[in-house]
Amino acid sequence: MSEEKTELELLKDGLFLKNKHFSLCRSEDEVKAADKFCEGYKAFLNTAKTERECNRWIAEKAEKNGFVPFDPAKKYAPGDKVYLNNRGKALILAVIDKKGVSEGAKIVASHIDSPRLDLKPSPLYEDSEIAYFKTHYYGGIRKYQWTTVPLSLHGVFVRRDGSSVTVSLGEKEGEPKFVITDLLPHLAKEQSKRTLSDGVRGEELNILVGSRPFKNDEGSESVKANVLRLLNEKYGIEEEDFISAELELVPAFPVCDIGFDRSMIGGYGHDDRVCAYPGFEALFDAQAPEHTSLMVLADKEEIGSDGNTGLNSAFLRYFIADLAKAEGLEGRHVLSKSECLSADVNACFDPTFPSVHDKNNAAFLNHGVVVTKYTGARGKSGTSDASAEFVGKVRKILNDGGVRWQTGEMGKVDEGGGGTVAMFVANLNVDVVDLGVPVLSMHAPFEVVSKTDVYSTYKACKAFFESK
Ligand code: MN
Ligand code: MN
């Protein structure tokens, strides 16, 4: 048989869009490098499960890498590394470089909040001698997925006297965990007639927290009283302190490799620690960038980016204005010349549910970081829609940097869609495009990503920071 290619094959080779599995177009060493990179990522996932924990973890790591708290009154020199900590829930890391901010900054913006269950302001109650917490879910969850899953409690109480106490319970070996119960199939006949989205309702997401009364005292609410006694002993709190608290329930299991080939990682909160981690690691590793580089780690993305730690607030704008002022410039001039990768996950094509995707415009597992020109829903509403020119520029950076990348829409045209921080950055007159890791079972308590896609996202962010 001839090994020569036919004319048709040559034509296809030359002109067709190539979309290939990472392992089929990269060396074995690069696959190994991806696996190695993901070991660090897994450690991050296991220790930083909420926006506050991510903030602490990243700030610590930044300090180890030479970053110091930002002082707006100071003028920084090339090579200086600073970070702004926004209320312990969001961060901006910046490396000042040769050109300062006179020609704009290179920004990677990601978010460190994930879908979860928040406690209501007055959460504790007793029903039929069982104590529960009421919750209000945070972000877009499929509620039925969050029942019968072990949960841990994270967050902070601010007490009557203004002092605060940090909570993390259910992660360490031997600590108790929490759970939401569901009906047994034998008694679920009526519940099973509900639609899937209504299968478990918001007010049914009640957390099991205790079942023993105080001593052997009989009387109403003695189980609740006992839970409060234990909370008082451990955290020094009373019931009113729940009102000035932020307490979050997240899945209590650690991450793990998935598959016989260990090619994937399963765990809670990939969205969007899976883009945040490659982003800040790329910032730490970037070689001699010419432009000032910023890694923005925002909160509140899962509920629309509103609030003073979300990217719809002014904290990024103010930070840039401070950097600009130190160089005798206006913030708006710097922003107008800046470029941003909105590092956020996208839906991964799931062969079990193919009908929600347009296969030509879907992201595939192991095909690399996904460049998403626009998100939004039904007629592109609620998106920034990156320009051809900026996508062209990013595409060249990725190709020149040997980054495995693909394009992908968030499902079929009228199927769904979604939002990211891209539009809030774009609204500051910055060129922005979305880029990130494809995720299976996104927003579920246990999400799945591919290791080579995580690594490709790191390579993409690094190439962007190092670009001219
Ligand atoms: Mn996200
Ligand atoms: Mn999300």
Side-chain angles (χ1 to χ4, degrees):
M1 226 171 75
S2 162
E3 298 211 343
E4 258 177 46
K5 289 193 172 178
T6 65
E7 269 188 68
L8 175 63
E9 281 166 346
L10 288 170
L11 188 70
K12 285 179 173 176
D13 277 358
L15 297 181
F16 274 26
L17 169 65
K18 289 166 202 74
N19 192 3
K20 268 194 177 163
H21 192 293
F22 187 96
S23 297
L24 297 180
C25 54
R26 291 294 183 274
S27 68
E28 231 172 85
D29 282 351
E30 260 211 273
V31 176
K32 276 188 197 144
D35 289 350
K36 189 166 171 246
F37 179 80
C38 285
E39 288 306 304
Y41 172 54
K42 282 156 63 183
F44 170 60
L45 286 177
N46 280 336
T47 42
K49 299 187 89 162
T50 66
E51 71 291 354
R52 285 174 189 269
E53 291 172 0
C54 284
N55 180 296
R56 272 198 294 277
W57 198 97
I58 298 164
E60 222 170 86
K61 179 117 199 220
E63 287 193 352
K64 276 189 199 137
N65 277 275
F67 287 72
V68 296
F70 177 62
D71 176 359
K74 236 176 133 176
K75 185 172 167 30
Y76 289 98
D80 283 348
K81 299 171 184 177
V82 295
Y83 73 94
L84 175 94
N85 190 336
N86 183 0
R87 298 170 169 86
K89 296 198 260 182
L91 284 164
I92 301 175
L93 312 181
V95 180
I96 314 297
D97 265 293
K98 291 180 208 94
K99 291 178 178 165
V101 287
S102 61
E103 287 179 32
K106 300 270 184 192
I107 306 168
V108 173
S110 189
H111 67 93
I112 50 177
D113 61 318
S114 300
R116 59 178 194 246
L117 303 168
D118 285 350
L119 293 198
K120 290 191 182 192
S122 177
L124 183 59
Y125 72 100
E126 177 178 335
D127 191 342
S128 312
E129 296 172 321
I130 302 176
Y132 293 95
F133 281 156
K134 294 296 293 181
T135 64
H136 194 139
Y137 60 95
Y138 174 98
I141 63 164
R142 306 190 73 192
K143 297 176 203 89
Y144 72 89
Q145 293 178 335
W146 290 70
T147 64
T148 66
V149 169
L151 301 166
S152 56
L153 184 68
H154 300 247
V156 64
F157 282 107
V158 175
R159 292 177 285 224
R160 183 179 290 276
D161 65 1
S163 63
S164 67
V165 56
T166 301
V167 175
S168 172
L169 189 63
E171 293 294 339
K172 292 194 193 104
E173 187 74 29
E175 285 183 346
K177 303 183 203 303
F178 307 92
V179 74
I180 297 164
T181 58
D182 197 2
L183 275 175
L184 57 167
H186 320 66
L187 296 179
K189 205 167 133 243
E190 284 307 310
Q191 187 199 32
S192 299
K193 288 181 192 157
R194 298 181 187 176
T195 60
L196 194 54
S197 66
D198 191 43
V200 174
R201 295 172 182 147
E203 292 292 350
E204 292 167 346
L205 295 173
N206 302 321
I207 314 286
L208 204 53
V209 299
S211 68
R212 280 192 188 162
F214 177 64
K215 292 190 176 156
N216 49 7
D217 286 357
E218 240 182 283
S220 69
E221 299 199 291
S222 65
V223 177
K224 171 181 166 175
N226 197 39
V227 167
L228 267 178
R229 178 186 66 85
L230 291 166
L231 284 168
N232 180 267
E233 273 174 15
K234 193 166 171 63
Y235 302 112
I237 62 122
E238 55 186 286
E239 192 173 14
E240 195 179 292
D241 294 333
F242 278 104
I243 296 170
S244 51
E246 281 179 294
L247 294 162
E248 307 169 5
L249 286 137
V250 300
F253 36 72
V255 299
C256 60
D257 287 344
I258 295 285
F260 292 112
D261 56 9
R262 295 179 168 265
S263 59
M264 298 161 279
I265 307 168
Y268 164 69
H270 282 307
D271 180 5
D272 229 299
R273 293 178 291 169
V274 78
C275 294
Y277 183 86
F280 63 73
E281 288 292 336
L283 182 78
F284 297 153
D285 294 348
Q287 297 295 315
E290 289 193 6
H291 300 266
T292 288
S293 311
L294 263 59
M295 181 69 213
V296 181
L297 298 141
D299 179 30
K300 298 282 179 267
E301 194 278 340
E302 294 297 354
I303 54 169
S305 291
D306 289 317
N308 56 16
T309 51
L311 264 182
N312 197 18
S313 91
F315 78 96
L316 174 60
R317 186 155 56 85
Y318 292 167
F319 182 76
I320 298 253
D322 285 338
L323 287 181
K325 200 173 144 212
E327 292 182 30
L329 302 165
E330 294 288 338
R332 64 179 188 276
H333 296 139
V334 174
L335 282 164
S336 303
K337 288 183 186 168
S338 293
E339 293 174 345
C340 175
L341 298 181
S342 160
D344 206 325
V345 297
N346 201 333
C348 186
F349 179 80
D350 187 337
T352 306
F353 304 103
S355 67
V356 298
H357 292 283
D358 160 20
K359 256 187 137 173
N360 279 343
N361 289 283
F364 289 82
L365 198 70
N366 284 306
H367 284 211
V369 64
V370 197
V371 176
T372 306
K373 189 172 179 294
Y374 50 84
T375 57
R378 283 159 285 275
K380 293 189 175 180
S381 82
T383 184
S384 77
D385 204 351
S387 70
E389 289 81 358
F390 187 57
V391 176
K393 190 169 178 183
V394 170
R395 172 187 162 205
K396 188 164 184 320
I397 291 169
L398 300 181
N399 283 337
D400 291 351
V403 179
R404 182 68 244 155
W405 68 277
Q406 58 182 326
T407 186
E409 266 192 324
M410 185 75 147
K412 277 184 179 167
V413 173
D414 286 327
E415 199 71 42
T420 66
V421 299
M423 64 175 172
F424 305 107
V425 181
N427 290 345
L428 299 172
N429 198 29
V430 175
D431 271 311
V432 191
V433 68
D434 277 298
L435 171 153
V437 176
V439 179
L440 289 165
S441 310
M442 192 199 292
H443 284 204
F446 193 82
E447 304 172 312
V448 176
V449 297
S450 122
K451 291 181 181 176
T452 59
D453 294 335
V454 180
Y455 184 62
S456 298
T457 302
Y458 162 75
K459 293 226 350 181
C461 294
K462 189 163 177 280
F464 175 71
F465 283 134
E466 290 171 352
S467 66
K468 299 268 178 272

